[in-house]
């Protein structure tokens, strides 16, 4: 952590260069995902002073790339690469759901983006251009395949009265598309 005024380092955490950008919850807790090429990934919960609250370890088929992460409406943390995990605020596993795509082994991972809506559902954009709506207890409620014609990942976002917008990256187009 760096002081925004003095630019002095307040504290550091870990020494793993393989990490995603951190997420911060409404209480100031920081969540950092680290991963290794050995099949192990860890979600670290750190307090604002730099102390470790807890670690949650998990394995994904493609753990050599950083998992995606998002914090939901009720404080649960959602993360994964080919399996979606829901982890409680205190570091316990709520549930996990396998995410299978049409691309399968041809891609390095299945989950392109994770977000949630105002009802507590989790939305997962996949690399085979689908949006999965998953209930807050881990069941797939909807599986929407978008007619993009490409082969990139979808990034869903929910706004207003549960309207889903999605952009595609990669794909067959030069700049991508939005739906």
């Amino acid at each position: 952590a760096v002081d925004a005024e003095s630019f002095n380092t307040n504290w550091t955490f870990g020494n793993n260069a393989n990490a995603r950008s951190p997420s911060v919850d409404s209480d100031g807790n920081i969540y950092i995902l680290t991963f290794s090429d050995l099949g192990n990934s860890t979600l670290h919960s750190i307090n604002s002073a730099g102390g470790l609250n807890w670690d949650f370890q998990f394995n994904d088929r493609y753990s050599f790339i950083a998992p995606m992460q998002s914090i939901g409406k009720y404080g649960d943390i959602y993360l994964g690469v080919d399996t979606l995990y829901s982890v409680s605020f205190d570091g316990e596993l709520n549930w996990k759901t396998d995410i299978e795509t049409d691309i399968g082994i041809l891609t390095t991972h299945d989950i392109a983006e994770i977000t949630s809506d105002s009802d507590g559902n989790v939305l997962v954009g996949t690399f085979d251009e689908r949006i999965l709506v998953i209930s807050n207890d881990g069941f797939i409620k909807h599986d929407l395949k978008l007619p993009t014609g490409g082969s990139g990942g979808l990034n869903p976002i929910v706004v207003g009265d549960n309207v889903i917008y999605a952009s595609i990256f990669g794909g067959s187009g030069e700049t991508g598309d939005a739906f």
Side-chain angles (χ1 to χ4, degrees), residues 34-140:
T34 59
F35 60 102
S36 72
D37 58 0
L38 302 175
N40 301 314
S41 297
T42 304
L43 174 66
H44 307 278
S45 173
I46 305 163
N47 64 38
S48 59
L52 180 67
N53 294 326
W54 49 260
D55 286 331
F56 175 78
Q57 294 184 343
F58 63 102
N59 292 318
D60 267 334
R61 240 183 2 229
Y62 309 113
S63 61
F64 54 89
I65 48 172
M68 302 307 293
Q69 68 183 1
S70 178
I71 299 174
K73 176 181 179 178
Y74 303 110
D76 294 324
I77 302 98
Y78 304 105
L79 56 123
V81 176
D82 61 353
T83 301
L84 180 66
Y85 295 86
S86 171
V87 179
S88 69
F89 178 81
D90 58 356
E92 298 297 320
L93 177 67
N94 292 324
W95 50 261
K96 66 181 183 175
T97 299
D98 289 333
I99 305 296
E100 296 180 13
T101 64
D102 294 338
I103 297 174
I105 197 78
L106 299 177
T107 185
T108 55
H109 57 297
D110 299 327
I111 297 174
E113 191 62 59
I114 304 169
T115 191
S116 58
D117 67 16
S118 61
D119 295 327
N121 296 306
V122 183
L123 284 81
V124 175
T126 69
F127 274 95
D128 64 348
E129 300 169 0
R130 291 169 31 226
I131 296 176
L132 302 175
V133 179
I134 301 172
S135 65
N136 60 9
D137 54 0
F139 295 99
I140 296 175

Side-chain angles (χ1 to χ4, degrees), residues 145-162:
K145 173 76 171 160
L146 294 180
T148 63
S151 60
L154 282 173
N155 294 321
I157 186 171
V158 182
V159 296
D161 295 326
N162 286 333

Side-chain angles (χ1 to χ4, degrees), residues 14-43:
N15 58 5
N16 191 335
N18 297 321
R20 280 266 183 214
S21 297
S23 297
V24 180
D25 68 18
S26 60
D27 293 329
N29 295 303
I30 302 143
Y31 300 94
I32 298 175
L33 280 163
T34 59
F35 60 102
S36 72
D37 58 0
L38 302 175
N40 301 314
S41 297
T42 304
L43 174 66

